[in-house]
Amino acid sequence: MGCRIAYNTGLSPWLRQETFLRRCRGDARTLLFHTEKMEEDEQTTGTLVADEVETTSPSVAEPVMSARSSRETMEFPSPTDEDEPHLLPVDDPDVPPFPGSDGVEFPPPTDEVVAAPLPLPDAVQPLRSSTEALEFLSLIDPEELQLCLFGDSLVTISETGRELGEFTASVQRAVYEEEGKDEVECYLVHASSQGALDDAPCGTSIIAYISKKLETLEQHRYEYLTVQGSKLNKNKHMVKRGEKLVINKVITQDEVVEEENTSYDWSSLEGFVSEGSNILLMRVLAKRQVIPQNMTFLAFDMESNLCICTYGELGIQMQTIGKANVELFGIERNIWSEEDLPNTWHSFFLSDGHLASRVQVGSPVSMKLLTMPVLVEKEEQEPKPVFGKQVLEWEEDVQLYSRFLDRKEELRSDHATYIRRHPDVRILMADFLQFLLLRKPDDIVAFAAEFFAPFATARSPTSAFHASYEPSPFLGPCQ
């Protein structure tokens, strides 16, 4: 039997496979190098005699992968007795890097499993959004987002058709004040899902403030699950503070509380799409009904690890909503976690962006729209009418002249009624006119002011004839 080299399985499947293949190629090249070096030493010293090495030597055969106890191993076929000298595994610390000039004969391999450390990977490239995705975000028109301000309400259904709960999502205009900065206009996204899975109450609630560039300013996510009297609560809060995105995660199970704090540089999160901004983004894609190629964004997986997410087109599907059979546009969203299996969602939308159905691949439940909503359409503003200026001759207009006569008679009657009810008006006016005609002043306004001054409530009462021999204060200096 050949010697086995075992790998740990802490990485994701696709990354383990890539690392495994690189390791196999590196081991094969190293074994080939040792074999050729030993052949040169044998020819030089003459101390070792070996058969001619064939082109397809068993020592450099393709490795075979086998699974044992949730570990990935690499198997190399054991050399026969004729294939001497024997070689130990490359990573064995007892193997010298090169054989000596006198020749070195190695002991035969054993069947024991030697745990090999993970190979040093190449320079890890930081996760980035694709150029197409960043360009798509920069070209979203704010007027296009205004047409996405509505609510969705779906019913959660099991595989047997039983209603388990409901799902709601709404977007509305809001104002957000970042710490130390002025208020900015943004969108408030609220989504919630409540129900029961296997008779265990569970639910999720998301509240997020999203900028007009679909950047996440703040988001709070709350999850709960109750199983046989045991309660599990998860609170995840992320907020932009300066040039950092700070994440606080608190997990409470009964009386056990675990808290974790992480942060990311804001510059490294270009093209980041959270759960809140994902709702707006998918509504925009559904309204356009076209998804560009290579739509790769940054996102967080369920454990708040940074990863990538992609969007793809599922085409057109017919679905009955209420009594209508309508066309739906499908969008596939994938979360490619490096620590867990990828998650995939299939969502279908109406032409205006209303969510009609949603399902997570592999989940026994789905969400469906039961009542046809009122579709949101862009309102085309009609041009304001322009009216030219027209000359108004009300005396020639029968209707206007009739209204004038009616108003005239109404005022005349009202005035006559007032004078009848207040006879002192006639007496006061008669005295003023009589005094005016006797004096015949040049300045009638000043004379009237002087005449009615004693009747002012703000002045102290004086004799009515006190001012007849004194200069009037109401007259100018030249009078």
Side-chain angles (χ1 to χ4, degrees):
M1 294 294 292
C3 181
R4 303 188 180 194
I5 303 178
Y7 275 89
N8 295 328
T9 58
L11 302 176
S12 59
W14 63 270
L15 188 57
R16 290 202 305 269
Q17 182 181 6
E18 179 67 17
T19 306
F20 172 76
L21 294 178
R22 290 183 181 180
R23 180 66 179 179
C24 292
R25 291 192 293 266
D27 289 344
R29 289 194 298 266
T30 305
L31 291 174
L32 180 60
F33 174 82
H34 278 276
T35 304
E36 293 175 352
K37 183 65 178 176
M38 293 174 64
E39 289 177 357
E40 294 177 0
D41 294 339
E42 289 173 356
Q43 295 176 2
T44 303
T45 60
T47 58
L48 298 177
V49 179
D51 295 337
E52 182 180 358
V53 179
E54 298 179 355
T55 304
T56 58
S57 174
S59 61
V60 294
E62 291 294 331
V64 181
M65 182 174 65
S66 63
R68 174 183 294 182
S69 301
S70 69
R71 310 174 77 186
E72 291 185 1
T73 62
M74 292 192 301
E75 291 188 3
F76 294 91
S78 302
T80 60
D81 296 337
E82 298 177 356
D83 296 331
E84 293 184 357
H86 298 293
L87 298 177
L88 283 177
V90 177
D91 292 333
D92 196 311
D94 297 332
V95 179
F98 299 100
S101 59
D102 297 334
V104 178
E105 185 167 334
F106 302 103
T110 62
D111 291 338
E112 62 177 337
V113 177
V114 180
L118 291 175
L120 293 176
D122 299 334
V124 178
Q125 298 294 331
L127 297 176
R128 298 183 184 275
S129 302
S130 63
T131 305
E132 294 82 355
L134 297 178
E135 182 180 1
F136 179 85
L137 291 177
S138 63
L139 296 179
I140 295 180
D141 192 353
E143 295 183 358
E144 192 174 9
L145 294 176
Q146 293 295 327
L147 300 178
C148 299
L149 306 183
F150 52 81
D152 285 324
S153 180
L154 287 77
V155 176
T156 306
I157 303 176
S158 65
E159 293 179 334
T160 59
R162 176 189 173 189
E163 294 187 7
L164 302 177
E166 63 177 356
F167 169 81
T168 59
S170 63
V171 182
Q172 60 186 10
R173 283 188 291 267
V175 176
Y176 182 80
E177 182 178 1
E178 189 176 348
E179 185 176 344
K181 296 185 178 180
D182 297 334
E183 293 182 347
V184 295
E185 295 183 355
C186 63
Y187 302 104
L188 174 61
V189 180
H190 182 206
S192 64
S193 175
Q194 298 179 357
L197 186 61
D198 295 335
D199 296 330
C202 59
T204 304
S205 177
I206 296 174
I207 299 177
Y209 290 91
I210 308 300
S211 70
K212 293 184 177 181
K213 297 181 180 181
L214 296 189
E215 296 176 339
T216 302
L217 304 176
E218 184 175 358
Q219 177 176 290
H220 181 265
R221 178 189 176 97
Y222 171 72
E223 300 178 67
Y224 71 90
L225 175 64
T226 303
V227 179
Q228 295 180 354
S230 179
K231 296 182 179 180
L232 175 64
N233 296 326
K234 292 184 179 181
N235 285 280
K236 177 182 175 182
H237 178 255
M238 66 174 67
V239 60
K240 179 186 177 185
R241 292 179 180 171
E243 298 301 323
K244 292 282 188 178
L245 182 67
V246 181
I247 302 175
N248 173 259
K249 184 168 60 173
V250 179
I251 301 177
T252 305
Q253 186 171 5
D254 295 333
E255 298 180 356
V256 180
V257 179
E258 297 180 3
E259 185 173 359
E260 179 181 352
N261 294 305
T262 56
S263 63
Y264 294 87
D265 291 333
W266 187 258
S267 59
S268 65
L269 297 178
E270 187 178 11
F272 168 70
V273 176
S274 63
E275 293 96 331
S277 57
N278 171 65
I279 294 177
L280 270 171
L281 178 60
M282 296 191 73
R283 289 184 177 183
V284 173
L285 293 173
K287 291 179 68 66
R288 296 185 181 184
Q289 295 197 355
V290 174
I291 300 181
Q293 297 292 330
N294 194 21
M295 288 283 283
T296 303
F297 299 88
L298 295 180
F300 287 135
D301 59 12
M302 299 301 295
E303 301 300 327
S304 302
N305 298 312
L306 190 63
C307 61
I308 61 173
C309 71
T310 58
Y311 293 84
E313 185 175 334
L314 296 177
I316 303 297
Q317 174 178 299
M318 302 301 297
Q319 179 176 323
T320 302
I321 302 177
K323 297 181 180 180
N325 193 23
V326 295
E327 290 185 352
L328 305 177
F329 179 75
I331 300 177
E332 181 183 66
R333 180 174 185 250
N334 295 283
I335 298 291
W336 302 96
S337 173
E338 296 186 357
E339 305 294 336
D340 199 354
L341 295 176
N343 294 319
T344 303
W345 289 267
H346 289 173
S347 304
F348 289 86
F349 297 84
L350 295 171
S351 58
D352 67 336
H354 273 95
L355 181 62
S357 68
R358 180 175 180 266
V359 62
Q360 182 178 359
V361 177
S363 174
V365 300
S366 60
M367 303 173 185
K368 289 187 178 180
L369 181 64
L370 301 182
T371 305
M372 189 69 180
V374 179
L375 300 182
V376 179
E377 297 180 356
K378 185 177 181 180
E379 297 181 358
E380 297 182 359
Q381 298 182 354
E382 298 181 358
K384 297 182 178 180
V386 179
F387 300 99
K389 188 175 182 180
Q390 299 180 357
V391 180
L392 180 60
E393 298 180 356
W394 61 273
E395 295 180 352
E396 297 180 1
D397 190 293
V398 178
Q399 183 177 1
L400 292 179
Y401 188 70
S402 175
R403 293 183 61 184
F404 166 74
L405 294 178
D406 294 341
R407 181 60 176 167
K408 180 180 178 181
E409 292 297 329
E410 181 183 352
L411 291 176
R412 180 179 294 178
S413 175
D414 182 65
H415 296 165
T417 302
Y418 180 80
I419 292 176
R420 285 196 306 269
R421 293 180 178 178
H422 299 83
D424 50 341
V425 175
R426 288 181 178 272
I427 299 173
L428 184 62
M429 294 304 296
D431 291 344
F432 173 72
L433 290 176
Q434 184 180 7
F435 197 45
L436 178 67
L437 293 176
L438 289 175
R439 292 291 185 92
K440 297 181 179 64
D442 294 333
D443 191 348
I444 299 177
V445 175
F447 179 80
E450 183 180 357
F451 179 82
F452 289 105
F455 298 96
T457 58
R459 294 182 58 182
S460 59
T462 58
S463 173
F465 304 99
H466 182 69
S468 60
Y469 54 86
E470 292 181 358
S472 175
F474 300 100
L475 296 177
C478 58
Q479 292 179 337

